DNA sequence: GCTTGACATGCCGATATCGGTATGTATTAT
DNA sequence: ATAATACATACCGATATCGGCATGTCAAGC
């Protein structure tokens, strides 16, 4: 009989996966709050240019970076909001090791009440 | 000439990678704050038992779950603190889309001062 | 126009990864 | 001791993934 199913879950190129790679994380860290061209990333990370470009492509596809064309350069910046799913997912487990944020949430609620 | 280097970065089985897989996340979500045996996970997730066991192995290796032997069962529980690296990494970018937590951090510092 | 610069993309090889099936192992029950 | 339960592990096939190299593309300068 022939093989029909998928061999592995199609890595729905999602944010969790994109951040799973150390080089991709390094790229995001290097860009930080700045706007960097590919060449600057290549210099900073000491990686071959095609590799950086391909990682940037992945990050772009999941919305983690945005890109502007400036002359013949491509200027990349981090779109931090794309990390929100990760933040919220991790937050679901946070209380299992740290209740500080729950305290803070309560506090915030109180503050809002006081202000209103 | 012969090929010498590594073909890819050795997926240093780290927490980021472990959480990159959707099935693994589902396992963590299903366990949640409870203690579950493998069979219960198999039933809940409708996955083959070996697959669940192997994912649990990965989660164990990175410290995301702990395991106790209870009779002939293995009872798994989430060790949420292992998610801290992810939390902290994401937090570094949080200010790029949400400054609420910075406010809260400032507030916490003030509270501690008041208490001390 | 042609060249250069800055980057994206295509192709390839090696391997890590995931799912499936079969089998091993340890513990309880009889 | 034997059998059954609950799970881990081994092995395999298919493919996704990453790194390296070569080439394509597109804007700017001459």
């Amino acid at each position: 009989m022939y093989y029909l199913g998928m061999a592995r879950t199609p890595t729905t190129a999602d944010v969790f996966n994109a951040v799973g790679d150390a080089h991709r994380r390094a790229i995001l860290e290097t860009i930080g709050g700045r706007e960097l061209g590919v060449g600057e990333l290549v210099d900073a990370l000491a990686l071959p240019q095609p590799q950086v470009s391909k990682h940037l492509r992945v990050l772009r596809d999941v919305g983690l970076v945005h890109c502007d064309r400036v002359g013949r350069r491509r200027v990349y910046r981090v779109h931090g909001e794309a990390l929100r799913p990760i933040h919220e997912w991790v937050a679901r487990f946070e209380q299992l090791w740290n209740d500080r944020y729950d305290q803070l949430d309560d506090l915030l609620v109180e503050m809002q009440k006081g202000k209103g």
Side-chain angles (χ1 to χ4, degrees), chain A:
Chain A
M1 196 47 191
Y2 299 108
Y3 185 87
L4 292 176
M6 288 176 293
R8 60 186 298 188
T9 351
T11 171
T12 330
D14 62 354
V15 184
F16 288 91
N17 229 302
V19 165
D21 183 80
H23 279 152
R24 247 128 45 191
R25 287 198 300 278
I27 287 176
L28 291 175
E29 293 165 14
T30 304
I31 300 180
R34 301 180 289 175
E35 296 204 334
L36 285 192
V38 179
E40 298 166 283
L41 282 168
V42 168
D43 292 343
L45 297 167
L47 289 176
Q49 174 262 316
Q51 197 174 332
V52 172
S53 283
K54 277 184 280 190
H55 282 308
L56 283 170
R57 169 72 166 168
V58 174
L59 294 173
R60 248 180 62 113
D61 285 345
V62 300
L64 268 170
V65 297
H66 286 172
C67 178
D68 288 328
R69 302 192 64 132
V70 177
R72 56 188 168 188
R73 301 183 40 192
R74 313 273 178 120
V75 174
Y76 285 87
R77 63 183 188 283
V78 174
H79 179 57
E81 188 164 353
L83 288 172
R84 182 178 286 186
I86 299 181
H87 171 80
E88 292 182 349
W89 188 85
V90 171
R92 294 169 59 184
F93 296 93
E94 234 161 36
Q95 56 183 355
L96 297 179
W97 56 278
N98 190 351
D99 53 319
R100 174 174 167 233
Y101 294 92
D102 294 311
Q103 296 170 22
L104 286 168
D105 272 339
D106 296 340
L107 214 80
L108 231 219
V109 171
E110 288 309 311
M111 284 176 59
Q112 296 289 22
K113 283 181 183 174
K115 282 183 182 175

